[in-house]
Amino acid sequence: MNHLYHLLGFDPQKHSVKVEVMAGTTTFLTMTYILAVNPLILSDAGMDKGALFSATVISSVIATLVMALYARLPYALAPSMGLNAFFAYTLVLAMGYTWQQALTAVFFEGIAFIILTLLRVREAIVEAIPINLRYAISVGIGLFIAYIGLKNGGIIVGNEVTMTSLGKWNATTIIAAGGILLGGVLMSRNIKGALFYTIIAMTIIGIPFGVTQLPENFSIISAPQSMESIAFKLDFSRFLSLDLNYYVVVFALLFMDLFNTLGTLIGTATSAGMVDKETGKIQGLNKALMADAVGTAAGALCGTSTVTTYVESSAGVMEGGRTGMTSLTVAILFLIALFFSPLFLIIPAAATTSALVIVGVLMIKCIKDIDFSDVTEALPVFVTIISMPLTYSISDGIVLGMLSYVIIKVCSGRYKEPSIAMYILSAFFVLNYVVN
């Protein structure tokens, strides 16, 4: 047992098994929606839905185990929600690539990430981001995930005139809003596992109201679906034909994955105090990035789109998760889900609204550490924070924030303040927008 503790970075004198397991369970429950949504989206590209469910689980298990045993950090990984849509609706349906060719692009992205991580290029990128922008990323992610939670719970809805508006009150929104209140009360009483208990309570309460759907002939246990139809089905023809557009696709995937992952790691680590106070470096960052890279390459071989570190990891971190035991718990629960998929799929989005909103509240606390006295710092910070929820993208928020930072510094005659890496990144950002 002591050997396992060492592998996970767990110190019995500092950490609690109960807290870590509860944190992992909370993280898992807040991201279980991916088990239903990812197969649904990728099946539109012509892939088998049952095989996709198993691929989603297995890729998540592999990546999260690397995070637990190698990085020893409390983050969970799974196929990215934004990048799975890019895979199905842009690469396959719009650009005309086969899903096999699209999987190959994801595979090359993963390999490129592994190389960049080994060379510590990704870590250098993070360290080049100014401290105020790091805090802004945390705040922006807080608003972003709260927005997702409110949207999933039907509390806010789309509106053609005002973009968003208050949704109509019904059983779903009442469950979502009630969960927010219950979670807040439990947390105010310092009850460990408050978010986890809230999710379970709202799921149960939702049954008689029809919010939690129990299908006919409901069976708790099901045999795992075969991945044979999609696993190891890579098609290298476009890569070998030197198709320039195909290489641009790989770069686009690389770009989007990089900043989704960096945003999540920076925001979560900063809000949880998992940052060296003297240097500002995130603990174990390079190893965490390697878990993401390995997960993406392995996910492509399994038959799914880009795997990334999930912002829902914040829920577990806020519950006290600090070591690889948290992510190990998530990996184990994902593996169990392979056999109990009907049970996990009944948790409604409304039941997870409370966790996402409350974590959002906790993450914006970093705003007090931002220096707003200097407009050349305040404006990029504001752009970063406001762009994430409004563009529905963590990566877009980071890009716009960093670009505005460099531009305003240069135009103000303070061109020496941005690092060389910031200038290089900005050039890549502009190129990416021009190409796309």
Side-chain angles (χ1 to χ4, degrees), residues 275-281:
V275 178
D276 188 293
K277 294 182 179 179
E278 295 182 2
T279 64
K281 293 183 178 181

Side-chain angles (χ1 to χ4, degrees), residues 79-132:
S80 167
M81 270 297 294
L83 289 174
N84 56 11
F86 180 76
F87 180 103
Y89 304 123
T90 300
L91 300 188
V92 178
L93 297 181
M95 299 182 70
Y97 293 111
T98 65
W99 59 261
Q100 293 92 336
Q101 291 167 342
L103 281 178
T104 306
V106 173
F107 177 73
F108 278 116
E109 177 220 337
I111 297 300
F113 259 164
I114 291 174
I115 295 172
L116 291 176
T117 303
L118 288 173
L119 296 176
R120 293 187 174 272
V121 174
R122 296 172 79 183
E123 188 174 16
I125 291 173
V126 177
E127 293 174 1
I129 300 175
I131 190 65
N132 280 326

Side-chain angles (χ1 to χ4, degrees), residues 28-29 32 40 66 75 80 182 213 223 225 236 278 319 326 342:
F28 174 75
L29 287 175
T32 48
L40 185 65
V66 175
Y75 306 123
S80 167
L182 176 60
Q213 298 290 332
Q225 298 286 329
F236 295 89
E278 295 182 2
E319 285 287 357
T326 294

Side-chain angles (χ1 to χ4, degrees), residues 212-219 342-343 345-346:
T212 303
Q213 298 290 332
L214 295 178
E216 293 183 9
N217 301 318
F218 179 69
S219 176
L343 179 63
L345 292 176
I346 67 169

Side-chain angles (χ1 to χ4, degrees), residues 335-396:
L335 194 58
I336 293 173
L338 192 64
F339 301 90
F340 294 85
S341 57
L343 179 63
F344 290 105
L345 292 176
I346 67 169
I347 296 175
T352 64
T353 293
S354 57
L356 296 175
V357 171
I358 292 172
V359 168
V361 172
L362 296 175
M363 290 189 72
I364 68 169
K365 67 182 182 181
C366 296
I367 199 168
K368 70 180 186 301
D369 298 314
I370 298 175
D371 179 13
F372 284 102
S373 62
D374 182 350
V375 70
T376 65
E377 297 282 334
L379 182 59
V381 161
F382 180 77
V383 170
T384 302
I385 293 173
I386 201 67
S387 295
M388 288 188 190
L390 291 184
T391 63
Y392 209 73
S393 170
I394 293 173
S395 59
D396 282 346

Side-chain angles (χ1 to χ4, degrees), residues 4 17 87 151 194:
L4 177 61
V17 172
F87 180 103
K151 187 172 180 290

Side-chain angles (χ1 to χ4, degrees), residues 264-291:
T264 298
L265 291 175
I266 292 172
T268 304
T270 302
S271 63
M274 299 173 66
V275 178
D276 188 293
K277 294 182 179 179
E278 295 182 2
T279 64
K281 293 183 178 181
I282 298 173
Q283 300 168 14
L285 175 62
N286 208 58
K287 291 184 176 180
L289 294 175
M290 180 60 78

Side-chain angles (χ1 to χ4, degrees), residues 3 6 11 20 24 50 116 126 133 162 214 243 256 315 331 337 388 392 415 418 421:
H3 180 63
H6 177 72
D11 184 349
E20 296 284 330
L116 291 176
V126 177
L133 281 184
T162 62
L214 295 178
D243 180 350
M256 289 186 287
M388 288 188 190
Y392 209 73
Y415 57 87

